[in-house]
Structures are given as structure tokens and as C-alpha cells.
Amino acid sequence: MNFDLTDERRMLQDTLRRFLTDRYTPAARNAILDSEDGFSAEIWSALAELGVLGALFCEADSGFGGAGFDISTVFEELGRAGVVEPLLDTAILGGGLLADLGGASQRELLGAVIGGTLHLAFAHGEPNSRYDLSRIETTASREGGNLVLNGRKAVVVNAEAAEYLIVSARESGGPDDGDGISLFLIPKETEGLSLRGYPLISGGRAAEVVLDNVALPETARLGPAGGAFPAMQTAVARANVALAAEALGAMETATGLTRDYLQTRKQFGRPIGTFQALQHRFADLLIELEQARSAVINAAGHLEESPEIRDLHIAAARNLIGRAGRLVAEEAIQMHGGIGMTREYELAHVAKRIVMTDHRLGDTDWHLERFIALASA
Amino acid sequence: MDLSYSPQELAFRDEIRAFLADRLPDDLRAKVRGEGELSKADMDRWHAILQQKGWLAQNWPKEFGGAAWNAVQRHIFEEEAARADAPRIVPFGLGMLAPVLMKFGSKAQQDYYLPRILSGEDWWCQGYSEPGAGSDLASLKTRAVRDGDHYVVNGQKTWTTLGQHANRIFCLVRTDPDAKQQEGISFLLIDMDTPGIDIRPIVLLDGSREVNEVFFDNVRVPAENLIGEENKGWTYAKYLLTHERTNIAGVGFSQAGLDAVKRMARTRMQGGKPLLENPHFAARLARVEIDLMAMATTNLRIISQAAAGQAPGVESSMLKVKGTIIRQEINDLARRAAGPYAMPFPSETIEGANEPRIGPEGAGPAAAQYFNNRKLSIFGGSNEIQRGIIAKVKLGGGK
Ligand SMILES: Cc1cc2nc3c(=O)[nH]c(=O)nc-3n(C[C@H](O)[C@H](O)[C@H](O)COP(=O)(O)OP(=O)(O)OC[C@H]3O[C@@H](n4cnc5c(N)ncnc54)[C@H](O)[C@@H]3O)c2cc1C
């Protein structure tokens, strides 16, 4: 048994932490949050140069990592610094699907993704699908030699920056069937595809996407006709490891800030950390933090196993992190008093990142239900 | 024991209901539901509508132009107003300062200030907290030094709610630095236009601009603006706190919030069924509703004691703690119900009035309200301070 990171991963962790400590300061981040694009192109290129994007892909896909612990190592650091840049969308979801399903010419885009010059977005969720992965009402129907897509996609993160959207659409089957779902790699300028963009409350941007008779050649399909669902599940599993690790990193920052504050803030002539009412609650946060860390390790460590085992651990991690994350975010704010409520202060941002994780790819209860289903299967 | 309102109380409730249905403007209602931010003009407009009816200064005696409602009547109004999505009555002048003026102010102060509060001419904010004095309010440092017929004020207040709209601020200031902490504090009324005052906004984590920092640099305040006696400010402030803590349970807000969550959960689908039928969501909802039903009765028990002239003690601390936990839990449910549509940042998605809303009704503001209402357990005496009071009184052999 060995819970240490490999030397390579430790180096990656150190490099990334140093870079983010230097460059992703709260002031820099606040400027990014206020910017029109919602993320920094400079930071993005720098991350690519450092090899952070490459670390999320395996060697066969032109990267040098791609395993569960590579993902968790990177995203924990991103979470610690409250990074809002769309690594999840471009690299894990978009890049992951491209690598897994792409034909030779589609896969040529991977170099640009890893090089930091191309953005992607996974346009999958719909206004009525909530978190259900197979609930797809967008249709792809054959008309002449073309496939024609119609439907709406909800809260597509990074859609505006993306050159290509990876869109899910149904070629056959009922509204909740996994079978029958195809993916399409669609250049954003394609006729019939329109976006309405907006900022997100915890940073970054997303868009509502409308597909109105979007005509595509067969070659736009990514993977088998009607058979993309298993690959989607894999990509989403990887994304869930990333999200859990990101929340873990943000929880580390939130508890760290809280510890410092409890030691320095004085009321009634003494540090507030000397009040037992707060001491016990702070101790509880540390306990939950270690639970969260183990849940992430479990999820990352089982990412390459069979889908059933993989998804059981992922559901467990997202459920636990959902509960522990909420506790940490709320208690950290509470123990800071008014200061914890201010946008300028770092805690506010990481607390929002933690809580809003619960709105991507399944919330705490959704993952609880997944866990119950998988555990009783 | 009789759990229902008396016929008179029911008639009173119907009158309030009819009034709200008739006079509460739709645009204000929409903003309260989260479809936009209430401006100063909006709040003034609602105050004026109430004042016209004589229902603005609900707790004031008739002689000062108030409605002289008892605690039960006030509760009925608050409950109905929250249900109807009416703007909250801004409490600083009406609910906080006015009782102090009536009890401790001079006749001249009463004659001058009270009508101006009613007419909306004066908008007050509360200058208590300082960067170094939050829970430990008595450690406040803002200094007021007597100089002829003026006080010269130096220091800083913070977290001043809606100070950006205010033309006046009531402050706790230190007039005797050598006395015991509580005994060197005075209660001073300050005109926000006085030279030397600088107000700067603090943006909260949800992007809202409701609090401010207020800086005082050699601000000359006429000595006649002192309330009562010098160095007795702490007594007046404590008296004010008993008024700050009415409607502390926020039962009306919780009920309105719960209704809104149910509306959203009825139309949001998960696994092909309305979220309201999802067992896990339904269980969360039920737990809060059960808590709220009991809270409503606890609240009424305490209110009817108050209406019978009994001053509430630790009960108001209990209402504060449990009431805010329930409200925050409901905000949490709303954000959950909104699902992925909790993510869009509302200020930009809903303020562009002509654009259709992103996501279902109620989803846009859900996350922002969740984050914003973390304040409920921090201000007005944090929940830790309230628990401390309960424990101290009950363990220390108090009442
Ligand atoms: C949105 C908002 C609006 C506000 N509006 C106003 C306003 O209009 N006017 C005004 O004057 N003030 C206002 N306040 C200030 C508010 O009253 C203070 O935030 C509050 O008193 C807490 O003080 P603090 O923020 O300095 O936290 P601190 O007092 O520093 O507390 C930090 C943490 O320590 C805990 N703590 C402190 N002492 C103890 C103890 N003895 N035992 C256990 N735990 C303890 C607190 O509960 C909290 O969790 C507002 C605050 C907010 C957030």
C-alpha cells in the first residue's frame, strides 16, 4: 500500500502550485472574473506550456498522463487557486470525447487542444434533462445525404470560446434510452446553430444553444451512430473525478483561510479561535476534509476499472463531497463573519466554486440515487 | 388553548390581504421574487403606499402617526406581505431609530425627525459595526470629541446596509475612552452630507451592493444631535436591539420561500418525474416544512406573550437561530431545485429587461439568494452569539 504520488505527479503538482501562487493571485483572478471572456487567454497558454493540458491525456492521445490520479492532481491544484479557466470543458469533456471516439481527421485537433490553441465545449444537457445523462430530446434525422439536428442545449459551459461544440443528439430510441444517442463535432459557425451567452455565478461563462435545422455531413459524427453513450459515460466519469478533486482543493483553501482567520481575528480581547464553540466546528471541517480527500482517492483510483465499479466510487465521491463541501463552504463563511460575505475576499470565490460544483453533472442527491442503484445491482 | 386567530384577527388579515392584492404594484412584486433589484425609488414608493393607508409605522403609537398595531397584528401583516412578495419595510428609521427617539429623544428631536421618517424625507442607516467591532460591539473605536457646541467625529463604520441611499446615519461613538467599554459610548445622529464623510460600497459575494463602509474624518456634528445623555449610548442601543429583533423568525419569508421552491419543483423534471415527486428531494422539503410548521407556532406563542405585555427574553435568541437556519435551508432547496440553471449569474441574465429569462422561473436568483442569505446567521447578533446568550441565561441561573 502506498498513498504517495509518483515523482512525475509530484513534480506536476509542485510546478502547477508554484505557477498558480505566482500568477493566479486573488487580484488577478478578480480581474479575470470581471473580464468579458470570463477567463484569461494568457493563463490558458501558460497552462498548456507547463504541460498541464497534456497531463490530462494519455500517450496514445499525444499527452503524457490521462489517468485518474493525473486528473485529480491537476484539478485539486486548480481548485485550491479557484481557477475558472475551462479545463474541464475543453480538455476533460471535449478532449476526452475527441480522443476516445474521434476518427483520424477529428483526432488531429487533439494537438491544438493540448497545445492550448483550441477550445471545445460539450453541448449535452437540455432544458428538461436536469442531470439525467441519457435524457436527450435533440434529434438528428437523415435528410438526403445530410444529418439534420434540431433541439436546445442548456448551460453549455465554454460554448462561446469553443471553436467546436460536441453536441449530443438522438438518432433512435426513446427519450431516456442510452442507445440511439450520437455525438457530433460541429464548428461553431455552422448555420442554424446559435448561442446566447452569459456569465456564471462562480466564474466562467456558458450559453444556451439552439440547433435549428443544423445540416451536417455524416463525417461530422463523432463515434458510432447511436452508440456514443458508453464513451459519454466514460468522459463524464473522468469529469466527475475532476470536479470532486477541484472541490477538494477549494475546500483546502477554505479551511486554510478559516484557520488563519480564527488565529488572527480578535473579538472580546482574544482570538476567536479560542472560543470552543468555534474550535469544535473547525475540527469538524478538518475531519470532513480528510473524508473528502479519501473519497477523491477512491474515485480516481477506480477510474480505469469496470464501469460499474468506477461509477460506484464516483457516485460515492460526488455525494460525499457534495455534503462535506456544503458544510465547509457555509461554516467557513460563518466563522469569518461579515468578511466572509465580501466578493473581494478569496473565501467568497472558493466557497462559490465549492457549492456550484453541486450543479454540474449531478448534484448530491442525484449521486446518492446513482450510488443506491449501483450498490444494489 | 386555541390555535386559531380570533374573528377580529381574521377580519384584520382579510383586510391586509385585500389591500395587498389591490395596492402592491406588480413590478415591485416581480423584483421581490428575484427578477431584479429594488431601487431606492421602489422602496420609497412602497413606503408611500403604506403611509397613505396609515400602515407604514406599524409599531408607533397613534400620537406619532403610527398604526399602533400589537404584536399579533404586526405578525399577520408580515406574514401576508411576505406571501404576497411585498418589499420589506426598510427598518432603520421606522423600526430601529424611531423607538429610541420616542423613548430617549428630546421633544425637539421627536418633532423634527419622526415626521421626516414617515414622509420618507429622511432615510436612515445604522452605524454600529466597525472593522474591529463586530460581535464585540462595545469595543467600538469611532471617536467623538466635544468641541464647543459640536462633536468632532473620527473613525470608521462598516457593513452599513443601504447606506448608499441614506441621508442620515445613527451611530454609536466613543465619547469617553477612559471609562469601562460600555460606559463610554454615546448615541449620535449624523447628517450624511456633512463634510468629512466618505461612503464606499462593499460588493457581497453574490454581486449585490447593499452594504458600505463609512469613513469619518473630522466630521463636525452639532451637539444637539446627541440622543439622551452623553456616555449612555449603550443603554439606548440595547433598547433598540429589542426592537431590531421583532420578526426575527422571518416565518413569512420562509413560507413564501417554501411556496416558491414547490412551484419550481413541480415543473422541474428528474428521471422523467417532477422533482417534487423525487423521494430525496421530497424528504428534504418535508423536513423543512415540518420545522417551519413548528417554528410558526413557537413564533406565535412568543408573539402572544409579547402582546400580553411580557418582554421576550432568550426566546428571541431562539427564534433568531432556528428561524435563520430554516430560511437558509429553504434557500438551499431552491438552488438544488434549479439544477444546472442555478449556475447562470442573474444580474446580467435578468436585468436586460427585454431578453427572456434564462431557465425556469425562480432559477436565476436561486444561487445568488442562497449565497446572500448566509448573512442571516451573521448579522443582528450572529447565531453563535445568540446561542451564547441562551446558554448564559439558562446555565447562569437567569430567567
Ligand atoms: C449583509 C450584512 C449587513 C449588515 N448590516 C449592518 C448594518 O446596517 N449596520 C451595522 O452596524 N452592522 C451591520 N452588519 C454587521 C453585523 O452586525 C456583523 O457582521 C456582526 O455583528 C458580526 O460581526 P463580524 O462580522 O465582525 O464578525 P466577528 O464578530 O468577527 O465574528 C466572526 C465569527 O466569530 C464568531 N464569534 C464571535 N465572538 C464569539 C464568541 N464569543 N463565541 C463564539 N463565537 C464567536 C461569530 O459568530 C462569527 O462566526 C451587517 C453585516 C452583514 C454581513
Side-chain angles (χ1 to χ4, degrees), chain A residues 366-377:
Chain A
W366 191 88
H367 286 289
L368 181 72
E369 287 170 14
R370 280 283 289 160
F371 183 87
I372 292 170
L374 290 160
S376 60

Side-chain angles (χ1 to χ4, degrees), chain A residues 265 275 334-335 338, chain B residues 126 128-129 134-135 159 161 379 382 384:
Chain A
R265 169 69 169 174
F275 297 122
Q334 181 68 24
M335 290 195 265
Chain B
Q126 181 187 25
Y128 278 23
S129 305
S135 298
W159 310 122
T161 299
F379 65 18
S382 75
E384 289 73 35

Side-chain angles (χ1 to χ4, degrees), chain A residues 38 114 125 135 154 165 192 249 318 372:
Chain A
I114 293 172
R135 182 159 293 266
L165 302 187
R318 288 292 318 271
I372 292 170

Side-chain angles (χ1 to χ4, degrees), chain B residues 81-377:
Chain B
R83 273 242 146 111
D85 297 311
R88 181 179 88 112
I89 296 176
V90 182
F92 305 108
L94 286 157
M96 296 187 186
L97 178 62
V100 172
L101 280 170
M102 289 174 201
K103 181 125 176 143
F104 305 106
S106 66
K107 175 87 174 49
Q109 286 169 337
Q110 292 172 353
D111 290 347
Y112 183 72
Y113 290 117
L114 291 174
R116 296 171 65 96
I117 292 175
L118 278 185
S119 68
E121 222 169 323
D122 280 348
W123 182 301
W124 287 91
C125 60
Q126 181 187 25
Y128 278 23
S129 305
E130 298 180 2
S135 298
D136 183 14
L137 185 58
S139 69
L140 62 93
K141 289 205 173 68
T142 296
R143 260 303 252 144
V145 178
R146 187 69 185 247
D147 177 25
D149 51 6
H150 282 80
Y151 286 99
V152 180
V153 179
N154 279 290
Q156 184 196 341
K157 295 294 174 183
T158 192
W159 310 122
T160 320
T161 299
L162 299 183
Q164 70 269 35
H165 300 330
N167 63 329
R168 295 183 196 275
I169 180 168
F170 57 91
C171 285
L172 292 180
V173 292
R174 187 158 300 285
T175 35
D176 183 354
D178 301 323
K180 256 182 64 188
Q181 270 192 346
Q182 283 86 342
E183 287 162 15
I185 293 171
S186 297
F187 196 113
L188 204 55
L189 311 180
I190 304 180
D191 196 329
M192 293 287 277
D193 296 332
T194 323
I197 295 185
D198 185 18
I199 176 162
R200 296 181 205 157
I202 302 174
V203 182
L204 293 185
L205 77 176
D206 61 321
S208 66
R209 286 163 188 270
E210 58 188 57
V211 294
N212 303 270
E213 297 176 289
V214 185
F215 298 86
F216 299 86
D217 179 18
N218 285 320
V219 176
R220 294 185 70 80
V221 181
E224 72 218 36
N225 288 13
L226 181 76
I227 294 280
E229 289 175 50
E230 201 175 86
N231 297 329
K232 289 276 162 59
W234 191 251
T235 315
Y236 313 150
K238 279 205 333 213
Y239 176 77
L240 183 158
L241 277 185
T242 61
H243 284 267
E244 188 178 352
R245 289 189 188 147
T246 56
N247 190 27
I248 199 158
V251 169
F253 294 120
S254 286
Q255 276 159 349
L258 204 61
D259 290 345
V261 170
K262 286 183 188 170
R263 276 199 301 274
M264 191 156 40
R266 233 169 251 134
T267 57
R268 300 278 78 205
M269 306 292 281
Q270 178 158 312
K273 283 201 199 118
L275 189 58
L276 205 57
E277 292 170 25
N278 175 285
H280 297 102
F281 189 83
R284 283 185 193 274
L285 195 66
R287 273 196 295 270
V288 184
E289 194 161 3
I290 289 165
D291 281 349
L292 182 57
M293 284 161 63
M295 169 100 271
T297 297
T298 311
N299 195 37
L300 285 173
R301 285 199 288 137
I302 292 166
I303 283 168
S304 51
Q305 278 172 10
Q310 229 171 302
V314 293
E315 290 84 357
S316 46
S317 292
M318 293 180 174
L319 289 176
K320 164 83 195 328
V321 172
K322 196 67 194 176
T324 54
I325 289 174
I326 289 173
R327 280 179 70 185
Q328 290 175 333
E329 194 61 31
I330 290 168
N331 288 134
D332 182 71
L333 285 179
R335 100 173 149 77
R336 283 175 205 275
Y341 276 121
M343 292 165 64
F345 185 51
S347 79
E348 306 209 16
T349 52
I350 54 192
E351 271 169 18
N354 297 327
E355 295 267 321
R357 164 179 63 222
I358 303 279
E361 187 189 342
Q369 281 170 356
Y370 162 84
F371 288 114
N372 184 275
N373 272 345
R374 300 314 306 168
K375 72 188 176 192
L376 297 177
S377 47

